Amino acid sequence: MLKHVTTKTQMDTPIQSARRVITDEAEALTKLAQSIDGSFAEAVDRIQTCQGRVIVTGMGKSGHIANKIAATLASTGTPAHFVHPAEASHGDLGMIGKTDVVLALSNSGEAPELSNLLAYTRRFNIPLIAITSRIDGTLATQSDICLLIPQLGEACGYGVVPTISTTMTLAMGDALAITLMQLRGFTPEHFRDFHPGGKLGAKLSKVGDLMHSGSALPMVSLDTPMSEALLEISQKGFGVVAVTDADGHLAGIITDGDLRRHMDGLLDQTAETVMTAAPQTITPDSLADAAVSIMNDRKITCLFVTENGTATAPMGLLHIHDCLRAGVA
């Protein structure tokens, strides 16, 4: 039992109450971290070697936490979904296959709605992992692996409002998901495949998804007169032009800054004499967020895209405005 949990709440101010609740939950998470043992490694191994999916279940507040854990697992490379234990008794047991693993949540371990689902896993030898606070509860004794959370009361002070227990349960689920993600070598690029929408999806967009290519690319050759280079810059509208060599490789770029530096006799020069050689480039598989970081650091507004990020043929052009429109920057 945490020392703050037994404090009477009636005399607390709103700020005192908020700080006490958060402090209690933070202390509980520290104790949970200290309690992690070999059972956690067993659970990770069982899930990692599972040929099916992780079926996450729980009733009431545990059900809400189970839903979130299932979503986190699924979005980080571990196929998973939530099955409501009450609905399971009315046909949804058919969602659970013999190659699956069941992750069942119950603080007391005695939720009656879980009974049929537990019996189903025992009947068909489906691995059962429990997250509970009672080692002698029905859920723990029926499980193959038990992830025990410390019994520390609840933040309400009376032990009746699921708060500390649900926070620890959620943290245990997060620990499972992230550990499995790391073992699977799951990267931000993989995460984007499951999360293409919203701000996070935008940040995980790739350069190749946003770049301009084909006839939209502003390009001239080394010997192009600056009068023609200026026309190309104006027509394409990016304020920059790529300068390519005889092999079509990127030799340099001409920006507004280059034009200002060569203002005297500009029209008598060629693209080669005005350009900035060896410009910064990026690959199409790079994250757009990384491109924005480069542009901010170098105080530039666009990047030419090449196959390997070096002076090969330009494949595209990414402008900072493209990133802003996509919600990346």
Side-chain angles (χ1 to χ4, degrees):
M1 183 76 68
L2 294 175
K3 61 181 180 180
H4 299 107
V5 172
T6 56
T7 303
K8 292 185 178 297
T9 60
Q10 290 86 340
M11 301 302 293
D12 284 352
T13 67
I15 291 176
Q16 289 172 329
S17 179
R19 288 174 175 169
R20 178 183 53 77
V21 170
I22 293 170
T23 298
D24 285 343
E25 296 197 356
E27 290 182 6
L29 290 176
T30 298
K31 292 183 181 296
L32 174 65
Q34 295 168 346
S35 73
I36 298 294
D37 57 19
S39 295
F40 183 86
E42 290 182 41
V44 168
D45 182 66
R46 187 64 64 92
I47 295 174
Q48 188 181 18
T49 57
C50 169
Q51 298 300 308
R53 296 155 297 177
V54 180
I55 309 301
V56 194
T57 188
M59 192 67 194
K61 302 300 185 293
S62 291
H64 295 305
I65 299 300
N67 240 318
K68 192 276 180 185
I69 291 173
T72 301
L73 286 167
S75 68
T76 52
T78 300
H81 69 249
F82 172 76
V83 170
H84 194 289
E87 297 294 341
S89 298
H90 294 274
D92 283 2
L93 283 173
M95 295 181 176
I96 306 173
K98 294 182 180 180
T99 60
D100 295 337
V101 170
V102 171
L103 178 63
L105 285 51
S106 173
N107 185 39
S108 68
E110 302 297 343
E113 294 85 358
L114 285 172
S115 59
N116 288 333
L117 193 151
L118 298 186
Y120 184 83
T121 65
R122 303 304 80 189
R123 178 183 177 188
F124 293 104
N125 295 316
I126 298 170
L128 174 64
I129 301 171
I131 301 180
T132 181
S133 67
R134 286 186 52 195
I135 191 63
D136 59 344
T138 300
L139 177 57
T141 56
Q142 290 291 312
S143 67
D144 298 297
I145 301 169
C146 182
L147 301 178
L148 204 62
I149 61 173
Q151 292 185 342
L152 300 173
E154 302 291 2
C156 64
Y158 304 108
V160 295
V161 181
T163 46
I164 289 175
S165 60
T166 50
T167 296
M168 289 192 292
T169 301
L170 179 59
M172 184 71 83
D174 287 343
L176 284 171
I178 299 306
T179 301
L180 287 160
M181 181 184 80
Q182 293 172 344
L183 288 172
R184 296 181 193 280
F186 200 81
T187 66
E189 287 79 4
H190 294 129
F191 192 88
R192 178 182 176 274
D193 293 337
F194 301 126
H195 201 296
K199 181 68 175 178
L200 183 56
K203 287 179 70 66
L204 294 173
S205 296
K206 293 183 178 180
V207 169
D209 298 328
L210 305 178
M211 71 181 189
H212 302 271
S213 60
S215 60
L217 281 181
M219 290 195 297
V220 296
S221 60
L222 288 169
D223 58 355
T224 300
M226 278 307 300
S227 58
E228 296 181 20
L230 286 171
L231 185 61
E232 180 75 356
I233 292 174
S234 177
Q235 288 178 338
K236 298 302 171 64
F238 295 109
V240 66
V241 65
V243 182
T244 58
D245 61 20
D247 296 322
H249 294 168
L250 183 65
I253 60 171
I254 299 174
T255 67
D256 291 338
D258 296 312
L259 297 178
R260 288 192 295 271
R261 284 188 291 272
H262 295 82
M263 189 62 69
D264 290 340
L266 178 64
L267 296 182
D268 297 326
Q269 302 186 59
T270 64
E272 183 176 13
T273 60
V274 175
M275 74 179 190
T276 295
Q280 175 74 55
T281 60
I282 196 165
T283 64
D285 290 333
S286 298
L287 292 178
D289 198 42
V292 170
S293 179
I294 293 172
M295 286 188 269
N296 286 336
D297 289 344
R298 297 177 66 92
K299 295 180 173 56
I300 57 179
T301 59
C302 59
L303 288 169
F304 277 95
V305 184
T306 59
E307 184 175 0
N308 56 7
T310 58
T312 53
M315 299 174 60
L317 172 68
L318 180 69
H319 197 281
I320 188 67
H321 290 165
D322 303 316
C323 300
L324 289 170
R325 281 192 293 269
V328 177

